[in-house]
Amino acid sequence: MPDLPHESPEPVTPAPALVCSARGCRAAAAWGLRWNNPSLHQPERRKTWLACDEHRERLSSHLAVRRFLREVVPVDELTSGRE
C-alpha cells in the first residue's frame, strides 16, 4: 500500500501582503502609483509603487514633480488582473 501524504511538520507561510513602498514603512498598501520614466520606458510601460494612505501624497508628489506619475489606483485594481 502506498504512503499517503500527511500534514507537513512545517507551517505553511501565507504570501506576503502588499506593503507600502515608502522607506521604512511596513503598513499595508492601499494605493498603486503607476508610473514610467519617458526617457527610459516605452509610453505604454508602467512600473508600480505601492502606498499606504499616509504616504500616498508624498510618493505621488515625488513622481509627479519628475513627470513620471501616470495614475493612482486602489490596490485592488492591481491585484484583480486589470493591470
Side-chain angles (χ1 to χ4, degrees), residues 48-67:
T48 304
W49 280 0
L50 300 172
C52 63
D53 287 329
E54 180 182 346
H55 293 112
R56 176 185 172 186
E57 285 302 315
R58 191 178 90 205
L59 293 172
S60 293
S61 294
H62 177 84
L63 292 168
V65 120
R66 291 157 181 80
R67 298 183 183 196

Side-chain angles (χ1 to χ4, degrees), residues 3 6 12 15 18-19 24-25 36 50 59 69 81:
D3 286 79
H6 53 279
V12 175
L18 297 176
V19 187
C25 184
N36 81 350
L50 300 172
L59 293 172
L69 186 63

Side-chain angles (χ1 to χ4, degrees), residues 14-52:
L18 297 176
V19 187
C20 180
S21 298
R23 181 176 292 160
C25 184
R26 303 309 302 156
W31 301 98
L33 286 59
R34 309 277 296 164
W35 64 277
N36 81 350
N37 179 340
S39 65
L40 298 176
H41 306 123
Q42 296 295 323
E44 65 279 354
R45 170 118 188 250
R46 293 292 182 267
K47 297 186 66 104
T48 304
W49 280 0
L50 300 172
C52 63

